[in-house]
Amino acid sequence: MIIILTGLPSVGKSTFSKTISKKMSEKNMDNIILGTDLLRESFPIWKESYEKYIRDSNTYLIKKALENKFSVIVDDTNYYNSKRRDLINIAKSYDTVYITIYLKAPLNILLTRNVQRGQKIPNEVIKDMYEKFDTPGSKYSWDLPDIEIDTMKKINYDEILNEILKISKFKNLKAIKKLENPKMDFLENDLQKIDSMSRQIVGNLIKTGKIDNKEIKKVSNIRKSFLKEFKSIEHEKINFKKIEEEFLIYLNENLKKDFI
Ligand code: ADP
Ligand code: MG
């Protein structure tokens, strides 16, 4: 498996990696911590011109580790969702389970921890990163972390390892099911799309005042029964535009309203 960490500098990723890595090895899971910082630290000084080598080598090492059936803990900021997606795609291309872990802490704590460890990165940089950081999952649902750790609280590593094993088992089962019945998976994907589409429509209708607050519960039930009906019918090729229209008609009929 590949454990993809994400979190701002000084949040505690490297500390977390070392402990969880030991816990994993106690359970006989061969694993390695990799990350661009480890390579960066192998240079006596830093130059921008080293960065491409660092990134490429890191990707290479991750792939090699997976080929060797080692679990990988990616100890990196993974600041951009594109970086997280690249890592997820590596996992997929190696048929490996991936687990994303988001470590968080308030800004003032990050700055204090940063000072404590010698301010290798200026506090100003962390402040700036904090402002611009997209919380994982805020833009894309695929980016929602499997595990979120509030580093202000005491970290229960045994509990987290259990969680990791549970998620890994679940994702493995899902992958097997997908192999056995690829059509099922299709349906699940389509359902997810329709679920979020209908959610968005309802959200807009509420926002624009077309649905009364008193009717929210009723609308939510209508939406659920629409999804249930969709699920029960055999679909060949799905036309999402048409389903969007159908959902509005369905809402109209069931609420005796006229949204269109
Ligand atoms: P990162 O790898 O995310 O940059 P580190 O693991 O190097 O962060 O930790 C940064 C500093 O914060 C270190 O001095 C470390 O001892 C401290 N630290 C790490 N995790 C915690 C935690 N959960 N609670 C309090 N301090 C922590
Ligand atoms: Mg670190």
Side-chain angles (χ1 to χ4, degrees):
M1 84 173 73
I2 169 164
I3 297 175
I4 305 168
L5 299 187
T6 181
L8 290 163
S10 285
V11 75
K13 297 178 300 294
S14 301
T15 309
F16 174 83
S17 300
K18 282 176 203 133
T19 313
I20 207 75
S21 164
K22 286 222 176 71
K23 289 262 171 204
M24 284 164 73
S25 72
E26 282 163 19
K27 297 233 175 207
N28 291 324
M29 296 166 72
D30 296 319
N31 74 88
I32 179 170
I33 302 170
L34 292 170
T36 52
D37 270 348
L38 293 164
L39 292 164
R40 231 170 253 124
E41 280 159 17
S42 301
F43 284 100
I45 55 162
W46 179 83
K47 283 186 189 169
E48 172 62 40
S49 57
Y50 300 162
E51 281 296 311
K52 188 175 167 3
Y53 164 81
I54 290 169
R55 280 194 306 271
D56 291 351
S57 311
N58 190 48
T59 306
Y60 175 82
L61 289 172
I62 291 172
K63 289 180 175 173
K64 276 283 155 197
L66 294 177
E67 273 170 29
N68 281 280
K69 305 284 172 214
F70 302 151
S71 284
V72 179
I73 301 166
V74 185
D75 172 16
D76 247 323
T77 318
N78 293 316
Y79 185 75
Y80 296 107
N81 65 57
S82 59
K83 192 72 215 298
R84 303 192 284 270
R85 190 184 47 217
D86 288 347
L87 290 165
I88 289 174
N89 283 335
I90 291 177
K92 284 184 177 165
S93 68
Y94 282 84
D95 283 326
T96 299
V97 167
Y98 64 89
I99 294 176
T100 51
I101 302 183
Y102 168 41
L103 290 99
K104 58 179 185 180
L107 178 61
N108 62 325
I109 299 293
L110 295 179
L111 300 180
T112 313
R113 287 183 193 163
N114 188 42
V115 171
Q116 271 167 8
R117 73 161 180 194
Q119 224 181 126
K120 274 180 285 178
I121 303 172
N123 266 358
E124 282 310 312
V125 173
I126 297 187
K127 261 190 213 168
D128 195 47
M129 287 175 86
Y130 189 91
E131 299 299 333
K132 292 182 191 145
F133 189 58
D134 285 327
T135 306
S138 62
K139 275 194 188 149
Y140 307 108
S141 59
W142 61 260
D143 194 29
L144 273 171
D146 292 307
I147 299 174
E148 217 173 283
I149 299 173
D150 178 356
T151 62
M152 295 289 283
K153 296 182 187 144
K154 191 169 164 33
I155 299 177
N156 184 337
Y157 285 96
D158 289 317
E159 205 175 276
I160 291 171
L161 183 55
N162 274 337
E163 185 80 353
I164 288 173
L165 294 174
K166 213 171 76 189
I167 296 169
S168 152
K169 215 168 153 183
F170 172 76
K171 287 194 176 182
N172 258 325
L173 268 174
K174 229 173 122 179
I176 293 168
K177 254 190 172 161
K178 193 165 143 187
L179 279 178
E180 284 171 353
N181 197 348
K183 225 176 147 187
M184 272 286 291
D185 191 61
F186 241 140
L187 182 62
E188 226 169 76
N189 261 338
D190 291 337
L191 261 175
Q192 257 172 31
K193 272 194 210 159
I194 293 161
D195 184 283
S196 76
M197 174 272 286
S198 58
R199 220 179 263 280
Q200 216 167 19
I201 289 178
V202 169
N204 282 334
L205 289 172
I206 293 172
K207 230 193 282 169
T208 52
K210 287 179 182 155
I211 289 177
D212 212 4
N213 275 342
K214 282 180 292 194
E215 288 174 307
I216 290 177
K217 183 88 197 112
K218 192 171 172 197
V219 169
S220 153
N221 285 334
I222 295 172
R223 200 184 73 84
K224 274 185 204 144
S225 65
F226 180 79
L227 289 173
K228 210 168 149 191
E229 273 187 40
F230 176 85
K231 213 171 158 179
S232 66
I233 301 166
E234 277 269 6
H235 295 275
E236 271 308 316
K237 210 170 157 71
I238 292 169
N239 178 341
F240 287 99
K241 195 78 210 133
K242 193 157 176 297
I243 289 172
E244 210 173 308
E245 286 167 18
E246 279 176 19
F247 177 59
L248 273 172
I249 293 167
Y250 192 82
L251 258 182
N252 278 340
E253 279 180 0
N254 285 283
L255 273 179
K256 308 248 178 305
K257 280 204 169 186
D258 203 4
F259 293 125
I260 313 171

